Amino acid sequence: MDRMEKLKILGESARFDASCAPFRERHSAGPVPGVWIAGPCRLLKVLMSNRCMYDCAYCVNRASAPVARASFEPRELAQVFGDMLRANLAEGLFLSSAVEVSPDRTMERMVEALRIIRHELMFKGYVHAKVIPGASSGLIRQLCSLATRVSVNLEVPRDDMLKLLAPQKEARAILGPMGEVASMGEELALRGALKGGHTTQIILGARDETDREVLSVSYALYRRFNLRRVYYSAYVPVNEDPRLPSSPPDRLRELRAYQGDFLIRLYGFTPRDMLGDQDFLERDLDPKTGWALRNYHLFPLDANRASLEELMKVPGIGPKGATAMVRARTKQNLRWEDLPRLGIRSWLPRFFLSFHGRGGIPPLDRPEAIRRLIIESRASSGRLFPGETEMA
């Protein structure tokens, strides 16, 4: 099998591993397989091998799946990546692998490929590598010393789900490496390695997990392991298995999970703040707007007096917008008309802010009317809701 045939198989096999949030990742329009545009960077997303010793129900590369199999030798993979760099087809690398032979054997091959790329090809750019659960501490350290970012994928939020869907895996084999990476992160960053920190990925909808369980696990992981990001992937049916749903991916739930995650990381929200007594996030409203309407007694906020932290909790206003408002009002009192020039173009803040003692769109004392108006506007415009972004 030649290199391009391997690249086609192993590039396709890597597409379900998250290299960034899905709304920032798309497949390259070029003819070369495996190249994805992830944020500002063109990444070669590829597996070292898709010959897996595990039979995880949700995985396209599970041992029992009837798919074409291939493996790269370390130097062969490094040469493929080097050729793509010289041809300006890729600017970075996302390297993962199925578990071939053993976790240590798989990690040894990944480390050797990255060693060649870093020290022989002298590549100084972005490398995201996947830690193989069960690999030895020494190999994990070597991989981290060669990567810009690493990930240890949790995949499912509950132990019983892991035992059912991936019976050959153990939660401690996943959480253990997370702890090891967290403990060495600062040291490696000082040496110029692992500047991008470490991440994980959770699949949504493979079983009966709730949003409360997912976000509670994410909240705990951020606090315990200082994760840089949690990525969420709506389950895509890739195998026929009675343990798995056959429904199409729930992309709206995936978006709501990311919005909830932003509120945890950037706004100081807890899962209870977002969910109240419910197990699932609202589908019709983003989590911040839902929280604001449930806590409407806290509004309207005085746009010229509210703190930065309070302004960041206003629907339609993100960290940049709140910071711009605080800076601008040191020079003059803010008016509603000033918000667009500060980068705040959503009309949602009108329901939650007051200017010079005057509120925005009435009736401010009826959150159910505001909810109805937002939902109806979404339905008529075909958008999730007016001005909605993943950050605000």
Side-chain angles (χ1 to χ4, degrees):
M1 186 182 298
D2 66 26
R3 290 179 186 174
M4 285 304 294
E5 288 178 297
K6 289 184 180 182
L7 183 59
K8 183 175 181 180
I9 292 170
L10 296 172
E12 173 65 19
S13 296
R15 69 189 179 97
F16 293 108
D17 259 314
S19 59
C20 68
F23 40 79
R24 300 188 67 219
E25 179 179 279
R26 66 185 189 278
H27 201 282
S28 171
V32 180
V35 178
W36 290 73
I37 299 171
C41 184
R42 281 173 297 155
L43 292 181
L44 171 61
K45 284 184 66 175
V46 68
L47 299 188
M48 197 82 211
S49 173
N50 71 342
R51 295 188 174 111
C52 197
M53 60 183 286
Y54 296 155
D55 202 39
C56 304
Y58 47 76
C59 183
V60 68
N61 300 307
R62 62 188 288 187
S64 60
V67 297
R69 305 287 178 171
S71 296
F72 276 122
E73 293 300 317
R75 187 165 295 277
E76 186 180 25
L77 175 61
Q79 289 171 344
V80 167
F81 181 59
D83 290 344
M84 296 182 75
L85 284 175
R86 286 185 288 273
N88 197 31
L89 293 171
E91 302 162 296
L93 174 66
F94 178 92
L95 180 61
S96 183
S97 185
V99 183
E100 185 177 15
V101 181
S102 71
D104 273 358
R105 172 62 174 159
T106 303
M107 283 277 281
E108 285 171 358
R109 289 160 55 80
M110 293 174 66
V111 166
E112 177 61 12
L114 293 185
R115 185 198 65 78
I116 295 169
I117 288 168
R118 289 298 198 199
H119 299 311
E120 295 185 26
L121 301 184
M122 303 303 291
F123 177 67
K124 305 297 184 184
Y126 182 82
V127 171
H128 184 157
K130 181 178 175 181
V131 174
I132 304 300
S136 67
S137 298
L139 286 169
I140 293 173
R141 178 174 287 275
Q142 290 181 58
L143 189 80
C144 290
S145 69
L146 292 164
T148 314
R149 169 174 283 185
V150 298
S151 55
V152 188
N153 286 356
L154 184 66
E155 307 293 13
V156 293
R158 296 199 320 253
D159 286 353
D160 64 311
M161 291 175 62
L162 188 67
K163 290 175 183 176
L164 177 68
L165 300 178
Q168 294 150 301
K169 291 183 178 180
E170 294 184 358
R172 64 182 180 179
I174 299 170
L175 298 177
M178 282 189 188
E180 292 186 54
V181 174
S183 68
M184 68 180 75
E186 186 173 341
E187 169 205 335
L188 290 170
L190 290 173
R191 290 163 41 193
L194 212 63
K195 291 182 178 178
H198 62 128
T199 69
T200 193
Q201 177 175 314
I202 297 177
I203 300 169
L204 302 175
R207 287 296 289 178
D208 59 350
E209 81 288 339
T210 65
D211 291 343
R212 178 180 296 279
E213 289 173 323
V214 169
L215 293 175
S216 295
V217 166
S218 297
Y219 184 77
L221 292 176
Y222 281 126
R223 293 167 67 88
R224 181 177 176 185
F225 298 121
N226 195 30
L227 284 183
R228 186 66 60 90
R229 290 294 302 272
V230 176
Y231 294 121
Y232 305 91
S233 298
Y235 173 70
V236 178
V238 292
N239 300 308
E240 290 187 8
D241 192 296
R243 294 167 290 178
L244 296 168
S246 57
S247 53
D250 190 343
R251 297 301 184 192
L252 180 55
R253 186 185 180 196
E254 182 182 86
L255 173 64
R256 295 295 183 231
Y258 272 106
Q259 290 170 327
D261 188 88
F262 283 126
L263 294 184
I264 290 172
R265 289 189 299 111
L266 302 179
Y267 298 79
F269 279 70
T270 68
R272 182 167 181 78
D273 291 333
M274 291 178 271
L275 289 153
D277 296 326
Q278 303 301 310
D279 284 330
F280 290 91
L281 297 170
E282 292 187 64
R283 296 181 68 84
D284 290 327
L285 295 175
D286 72 288
K288 194 205 286 191
T289 302
W291 171 84
L293 291 174
R294 289 194 306 275
N295 293 274
Y296 206 70
H297 60 281
L298 301 176
F299 300 97
L301 294 176
D302 187 328
N304 287 290
R305 296 189 179 186
S307 68
L308 176 66
E309 291 73 19
E310 289 174 323
L311 290 173
M312 284 175 57
K313 292 190 174 183
V314 173
I317 299 179
K320 290 182 180 179
T323 301
M325 288 178 66
V326 170
R327 288 176 178 168
R329 72 191 189 190
T330 62
K331 299 177 182 178
Q332 63 181 43
N333 282 334
L334 294 177
R335 303 168 301 163
W336 168 253
E337 293 79 10
D338 296 323
L339 297 193
R341 68 177 178 81
L342 299 177
I344 302 168
R345 294 179 174 81
S346 169
W347 51 260
L348 286 177
R350 223 179 244 227
F351 297 113
F352 304 96
L353 291 177
S354 66
F355 297 83
H356 309 295
R358 293 178 298 170
I361 300 174
L364 286 172
D365 60 339
R366 292 178 56 195
E368 68 279 5
I370 298 172
R371 175 188 297 273
R372 213 164 35 246
L373 181 61
I374 295 171
I375 293 173
E376 288 172 358
S377 179
R378 172 202 166 192
S380 63
S381 66
R383 298 171 64 182
L384 291 169
F385 71 81
E388 179 173 33
T389 69
E390 70 273 15
M391 296 292 288

